[in-house]
Amino acid sequence: MDQLRLPRYVVPVIPRGVVWEDHALAISDGRISHVGPRDKLLKLMPGAEKVELGNHALIPGLINMHTHSPMSLLRGYADDLGLETWLKDHIWPAEHRWADGDFVRDGTKLAIAEMIRGGTTCFNENYFHPDRIAQVVIETGMKACIGLPVIDFTTSWAQGMDEYLEKGFEVRDKFAGTSQLSWSIAPHSMYSVSNDYLAKIADLSTQHDLPVHMHLLEIEWEIENSLSSHGQRPLQLAQSLGLLNERLLAVHMAHLDDSDIELLADRSVNVVHCPQSNLKLSSGFCRLEDLVRAGVNVS
């Protein structure tokens, strides 16, 4: 049945920066068919079911640009630690023990319930067992960009980076044509994936027109490690490997210098800002205002 949502305010994406009063939204066959003045739509669809939302602002669904949804089941585990200790001594061992397909399914269901409650209708995922995540997304009616995970150690999902890539693309092919899903390649970080495979991922990204979703410059140690191991800062190294372009979703970015920001702007890289995570792990502060001023797309 056609439906009219009649809120106090409608906040559209386009045009930007406006709030409409006395407007309505029409839904036909499960899709938004019209947004317009309330009186006009009431006359256009007199038989539609009317849902009065007199104290509400109706906005587009929010998008969570960086999730490890199954880790909702690890919330509160190993608090008050820096990233390196948190990952190596606590999270990775716990995942090795517990994070099988059922864990991923259940954790994703919990995360999706919380996202829906908060108005999030689409999320950008980066975790193991992407097949289980995809199935839950379909069952719940959400939308997601699902990362094909790559990391240089064994998990319950895969062992060896060739297997990570092979199994990931098998999942993408299995769910091909599903309108709720899109895909990215999700190497964990530049310190947990070898340069040869990062270059291969850059080639696959170009070949298949897939985003690359990766933690980058989250902690200061990454800079020290990259300089000592490769003689370059992480972003310069990423540039040499072919990763810096409009398909890169660079997550955290809490340790930027001026040359980094200039390079990000020049290469049209997308930055994903995660203030809550950066605060939890004392990782640092992203130079958000400087990035925006430089014209970098920040989400």
Side-chain angles (χ1 to χ4, degrees):
M1 184 177 184
D2 291 343
Q3 189 180 92
L4 282 176
R5 301 289 176 94
L6 303 164
R8 182 171 180 180
Y9 306 108
V10 173
V11 183
V13 174
I14 299 172
R16 292 185 62 179
V18 302
V19 178
W20 290 327
E21 293 190 65
D22 298 320
H23 274 57
L25 181 143
I27 299 172
S28 301
D29 297 323
R31 301 181 68 87
I32 296 171
S33 58
H34 298 84
V35 179
R38 177 186 177 108
D39 291 345
K40 180 179 178 181
L41 291 188
L42 285 170
K43 291 178 181 177
L44 181 67
M45 303 173 69
E49 177 190 0
K50 298 170 183 61
V51 180
E52 291 283 355
L53 301 167
N55 295 315
H56 293 70
L58 190 62
I59 68 170
L62 302 173
I63 300 172
N64 188 337
M65 279 299 296
H66 178 65
T67 58
H68 306 295
S69 295
M71 292 182 73
S72 60
L73 298 182
L74 293 174
R75 183 179 291 125
Y77 175 65
D79 277 344
D80 301 318
L81 298 166
L83 176 69
E84 191 172 4
T85 302
W86 183 77
L87 273 179
K88 293 181 179 179
D89 296 344
H90 299 275
I91 295 300
W92 284 344
E95 288 177 329
H96 183 74
R97 181 176 181 183
W98 299 110
D100 60 10
D102 290 343
F103 176 101
V104 167
R105 178 199 62 214
D106 294 345
T108 301
K109 284 185 177 180
L110 172 60
I112 285 177
E114 293 176 339
M115 284 190 265
I116 292 172
R117 188 180 183 192
T120 293
T121 58
C122 180
F123 60 101
N124 187 39
E125 181 61 47
N126 183 331
Y127 207 69
F128 313 117
H129 296 279
D131 55 336
R132 295 295 191 99
I133 297 170
Q135 193 60 52
V136 176
V137 170
I138 292 168
E139 291 170 1
T140 55
M142 286 284 277
K143 292 184 179 180
C145 178
I146 297 179
L148 311 178
V150 184
I151 194 167
D152 193 14
F153 62 71
T154 298
T155 65
S156 63
W157 171 242
Q159 53 184 337
M161 287 187 278
D162 285 330
E163 186 178 6
Y164 277 103
L165 288 169
E166 181 180 347
K167 290 187 71 172
F169 277 93
E170 286 175 359
V171 170
R172 188 190 73 141
D173 293 343
K174 176 182 176 180
F175 291 96
T178 305
S179 62
Q180 290 165 244
L181 303 175
S182 58
W183 305 92
S184 71
I185 309 175
H188 175 267
S189 62
M190 296 192 66
Y191 57 82
S192 61
V193 178
S194 70
N195 286 351
D196 287 345
Y197 276 89
L198 288 171
K200 183 175 183 177
I201 287 166
D203 289 341
L204 289 169
S205 169
T206 301
Q207 180 182 342
H208 296 279
D209 192 25
L210 291 174
V212 174
H213 178 188
M214 180 170 63
H215 307 96
L216 192 56
L217 285 174
E218 183 174 2
I219 57 173
E220 198 166 15
W221 172 85
E222 292 179 51
I223 300 170
E224 300 163 4
N225 178 67
S226 185
L227 287 171
S228 63
S229 301
H230 310 291
Q232 294 176 290
R233 289 175 62 86
L235 284 188
Q236 282 71 33
L237 178 60
Q239 166 80 337
S240 71
L241 296 172
L243 287 165
L244 286 199
N245 53 51
E246 71 282 356
R247 289 183 299 279
L248 179 61
L249 305 170
V251 182
H252 294 293
M253 304 298 276
H255 294 275
L256 295 164
D257 68 11
D258 291 344
S259 66
D260 291 331
I261 293 174
E262 183 178 348
L263 185 57
L264 293 170
D266 181 65
R267 302 301 298 169
S268 301
V269 174
N270 308 282
V271 170
V272 181
H273 179 39
C274 301
Q276 189 170 353
S277 173
N278 295 343
L279 288 167
K280 172 183 169 66
L281 296 167
S282 297
S283 297
F285 291 91
C286 179
R287 292 173 58 183
L288 178 61
E289 186 176 359
D290 293 335
L291 287 166
V292 172
R293 284 180 174 174
V296 177
N297 182 49
V298 183
S299 60

